[in-house]
Amino acid sequence: MSTIRFGGIASGLDTESMVKELMKAERAKVDKLQQNKQTKTWVQEAYNDMNKSFANFILDSKKALGLTSTTSTGSTFTTSYSSLTWVKSASSSNESTFTATATTSAVSGTHNIEVKQLATGVNKASIKDIVARNVELGGALTDVTSTTELSELGIADGTLTFDGAAEAISYVSTDTIATLVGKINALKDADGNALGIKATFDETSNRLFLSTTAMGSNAQIKITDDGGGLFTGPASKFATDLDLNSELYVGQDAEINFDGAEGIKYSSNQFTINGITIDLKAAQPGVTNTIKVDTNIDGIIEKVKAFVDSYNTLVDSVNTKLGEKKYRDYQPLTDEQKEAMDEDTRKLWEEKAKSGLLRNDSTLQRTLQTIRSSLYEKVEGVSGAFSSMFEIGITTGSYTDKGKLEIDETKLREKIMQDPDGVMELLFKTSSSSDEETKKSETGIVNRIYDNMVEGMKDVIDKAGAGDNATLYRKVQSNIMIEFVVKGSKSLIDEDLLSIAKRIDTENDRLSNVEDRYWKRFTALEKAMQQMNSQSTWLSQQLGGGQ
């Protein structure tokens, strides 16, 4: 029930202003809570921005290093460093016959290759122009397009069955050529996968084409039922050279001789052998070409330097936040203070108020320290010549560099020449151990950085949540949010903000009651003054009337 308020009618007082001034002092506590809430919100946003930087560093650097692969579904996964294509280089002696690239596992030296034949699929086409075929069969067709109905080709309702298809195609005379093509392309096998047969119609040549989407000896086109004579038989409406129930229409495997091994077959013209990825362009039977594989020293140095530069940039940004000056006299503005400032002044004030929010933050400091400490530790279980990054010319620099890395390029080049596989193992080794401590000790330098950074990200998520970045974080590690979700998906800052919000609500209720009390008192004063004025007027009238 609202209180009726009288504003100085009898007393002449500016009641509204007086209540406002009285409430200003009362609202100081709410203003303090609102400022605390705003500060914590800014801290949460600053944490989320930092975690976003960690995530982007991991994703971008892994992509640059070739440590991620993208599947048809768009997901990414970490691959073995043995598949990296920048560690070794491969050159083909005849690029018109084949091209070659080398992975880390490729054996350096010169390799011999003879391309005996290419892989092919099955390709069948209308031997004759469909219009001409129609006339030949007694029809009167003068033109044909993808919208021509089957009835115009003399085709009635029927079915067509391809070997391996889960079901036959049913067509009707009113179907167009485009409709028939679509039905063929939609065929599935018994497992629900695409059958692998593609139909197309070319309006320029008036011909229909059937082909396999795959190559090799497992690719085939076999028609087991064609009662309507679409593709088979002497009255074939599309005039192909397909023969009903024939086993002849199969693809061909690629075949090569490689380093003395003869008759090696592949179902594709792109394949990897002995760590060398080969893309066949033409057959050249009887001719032996060569592939030369060498360590790509410049390529390795370039990738390592790019990673270190990116890492140092991230470390710089974290250290900048940790050392950022805190302006304690600049607190978040109240609504009243904002109204009293112009926009530019307000922005400058907020910049000062947001400065130093993560100064000397223990969570970020611990993450950097953990990463830094792990870099000093040896990589256990290596088979190469190096177990420490200092051995290959990578150091943490001076104390003032605050964890940034430095590269002695001359030393790094020397060590790559000495043992390129050892350098790669030191940087990218992974461990299959189920023991956590053993796994950490057997993990290479680069992967240690990633692993420790992910652990730091989890600490930040526990403290500040994920904000709008949950999807990004899951790209870094699919299960990164699981522990957070199990705990209830509420960060420490979220809990603080909820507590502050409740206190603000309670305080606002109190303020509402306080303001009502003030108004009740002033209203009582106004009523008393009004009554007194009325009595004074009556008394004056009585006294005046007695004279």
Side-chain angles (χ1 to χ4, degrees):
M1 183 174 179
S2 61
T3 302
I4 298 175
R5 297 172 174 178
F6 295 94
I9 297 174
S11 65
L13 299 173
D14 186 356
T15 309
E16 189 80 32
S17 296
M18 293 176 70
V19 172
K20 188 175 181 180
E21 286 300 315
L22 289 168
M23 290 304 298
K24 185 182 292 185
E26 294 285 352
R27 290 185 188 281
K29 187 174 181 180
V30 172
D31 289 341
K32 192 71 176 175
L33 287 170
Q34 291 283 14
Q35 287 176 321
N36 190 14
K37 179 182 177 183
Q38 182 62 76
T39 298
K40 284 190 176 295
T41 300
W42 283 342
V43 170
Q44 188 175 46
E45 291 171 352
Y47 271 127
N48 288 333
D49 286 343
M50 192 54 63
N51 243 13
K52 186 176 180 180
S53 295
F54 287 144
N56 283 327
F57 164 76
I58 293 172
L59 293 173
D60 292 345
S61 61
K62 279 191 172 184
K63 183 178 180 181
L65 291 168
L67 290 172
T68 56
S69 297
T70 304
T71 68
S72 58
T73 59
S75 60
T76 59
F77 56 92
T78 303
T79 59
S80 168
Y81 72 88
S82 63
S83 64
L84 299 180
T85 59
W86 47 267
V87 178
K88 294 186 177 180
S89 60
S91 58
S92 165
S93 64
N94 187 350
E95 292 198 347
S96 63
T97 301
F98 69 95
T99 58
T101 55
T103 64
T104 306
S105 59
V107 179
S108 296
T110 301
H111 303 271
N112 297 319
I113 181 172
E114 176 189 351
V115 182
K116 300 183 71 175
Q117 66 183 35
L118 298 182
T120 61
V122 180
N123 295 284
K124 292 293 178 180
S126 303
I127 299 173
K128 297 181 180 179
D129 181 300
I130 292 175
V131 174
R133 178 59 171 169
N134 179 257
V135 172
E136 187 178 87
L137 294 174
L141 196 66
T142 58
D143 189 26
V144 63
T145 68
S146 60
T147 60
T148 299
E149 293 187 358
L150 299 183
S151 59
E152 298 177 66
L153 301 177
I155 300 173
D157 299 355
T159 59
L160 176 68
T161 305
F162 285 86
D163 184 47
E167 57 185 27
I169 292 172
S170 294
Y171 56 87
V172 295
S173 62
T174 54
D175 283 346
T176 64
I177 293 177
T179 303
L180 178 65
V181 165
K183 289 180 177 180
I184 295 173
N185 292 338
L187 284 171
K188 306 288 185 182
D189 63 19
D191 295 324
N193 301 314
L195 185 60
I197 295 176
K198 183 175 180 60
T200 57
F201 176 70
D202 181 64
E203 294 188 356
T204 303
S205 63
N206 286 339
R207 282 169 167 77
L208 189 139
F209 297 85
L210 292 177
S211 61
T212 55
T213 56
M215 293 188 291
S217 58
N218 290 326
Q220 69 170 27
I221 295 177
K222 179 181 177 183
I223 296 177
T224 57
D225 177 52
D226 185 14
L230 298 184
F231 300 109
T232 62
S236 169
K237 305 300 187 296
F238 292 108
T240 65
D241 58 354
L242 288 167
D243 182 18
L244 188 64
N245 296 321
S246 174
E247 299 283 351
L248 299 177
Y249 312 119
V250 296
Q252 171 181 281
D253 288 332
E255 185 176 351
I256 65 169
N257 296 336
F258 186 86
D259 282 354
E262 297 187 353
I264 303 172
K265 294 184 177 182
Y266 296 95
S267 61
S268 171
N269 289 316
Q270 293 82 38
F271 52 86
T272 299
I273 182 171
N274 211 19
I276 304 170
T277 299
I278 295 172
D279 186 355
L280 301 183
K281 304 295 184 181
Q284 201 176 17
V287 177
T288 299
N289 291 297
T290 59
I291 303 170
K292 187 177 181 181
V293 177
D294 291 310
T295 298
N296 185 13
I297 298 175
D298 289 335
I300 296 174
I301 291 175
E302 180 183 339
K303 290 291 185 181
V304 173
K305 286 175 64 178
F307 174 82
V308 168
D309 287 344
S310 180
Y311 173 76
N312 287 344
T313 298
L314 179 64
V315 171
D316 262 342
S317 69
V318 177
N319 283 324
T320 296
K321 282 296 180 183
L322 291 173
E324 196 172 54
K325 185 175 180 179
K326 176 70 176 176
Y327 297 93
R328 300 189 182 280
D329 293 335
Y330 288 80
Q331 295 299 315
L333 296 169
T334 64
D335 291 340
E336 188 176 356
Q337 289 171 328
K338 288 179 181 178
E339 290 176 3
M341 292 183 182
D342 60 64
E343 186 177 352
D344 290 339
T345 304
R346 189 162 59 245
K347 286 182 178 179
L348 289 172
W349 183 284
E350 288 196 351
E351 284 179 9
K352 295 281 189 181
K354 289 181 178 180
S355 178
L357 292 174
L358 298 179
R359 181 178 177 83
N360 296 327
D361 178 76
S362 59
T363 303
L364 296 179
Q365 285 182 325
R366 184 168 59 251
T367 299
L368 284 189
Q369 184 57 44
T370 301
I371 294 173
R372 193 178 307 154
S373 298
S374 71
L375 298 179
Y376 289 98
E377 298 171 2
K378 289 186 175 183
V379 178
E380 303 293 341
V382 293
S383 57
F386 316 113
S387 60
S388 166
M389 71 174 188
F390 308 110
E391 297 177 63
I392 63 172
I394 304 177
T395 62
T396 54
S398 64
Y399 173 78
T400 56
D401 288 330
K402 298 182 178 180
K404 291 167 63 176
L405 298 176
E406 292 182 354
I407 297 177
D408 180 339
E409 189 174 330
T410 301
K411 187 173 183 179
L412 177 59
R413 182 179 294 274
E414 174 189 328
K415 299 305 178 182
I416 293 171
M417 293 175 66
Q418 177 185 331
D419 184 3
D421 293 334
V423 171
M424 295 304 297
E425 185 182 24
L426 172 67
L427 295 175
F428 298 104
K429 186 178 185 294
T430 57
S431 173
S432 58
S433 175
S434 57
D435 179 74
E436 198 61 33
E437 290 305 313
T438 302
K439 187 174 183 179
K440 287 180 180 179
S441 67
E442 292 180 350
T443 297
I445 299 300
V446 171
N447 287 323
R448 280 183 184 178
I449 291 175
Y450 290 145
D451 291 345
N452 289 317
M453 201 169 287
V454 168
E455 291 305 309
M457 288 177 64
K458 289 179 181 178
D459 289 341
V460 171
I461 290 170
D462 286 341
K463 196 166 187 176
D468 298 327
N469 303 322
T471 300
L472 176 68
Y473 299 163
R474 289 190 181 97
K475 289 181 180 178
V476 173
Q477 188 180 88
S478 61
N479 63 351
I480 194 171
M481 301 288 295
I482 287 181
E483 290 182 13
F484 180 66
V485 173
V486 169
K487 292 176 184 176
S489 298
K490 196 177 295 298
S491 68
L492 296 177
I493 292 180
D494 283 329
E495 290 177 351
D496 286 345
L497 289 173
L498 183 60
S499 176
I500 293 171
K502 289 179 179 178
R503 291 169 63 191
I504 289 173
D505 288 341
T506 300
E507 190 62 21
N508 280 330
D509 289 340
R510 185 189 71 81
L511 289 177
S512 180
N513 292 331
V514 169
E515 188 172 6
D516 281 345
R517 287 201 302 271
Y518 280 135
W519 276 106
K520 283 178 181 178
R521 291 174 184 175
F522 279 109
T523 298
L525 174 63
E526 291 297 323
K527 286 181 179 180
M529 290 292 291
Q530 188 176 30
Q531 186 175 7
M532 187 181 69
N533 290 338
S534 296
Q535 290 175 344
S536 177
T537 300
W538 177 84
L539 183 59
S540 295
Q541 289 174 346
Q542 293 301 316
L543 292 173
Q547 292 180 349

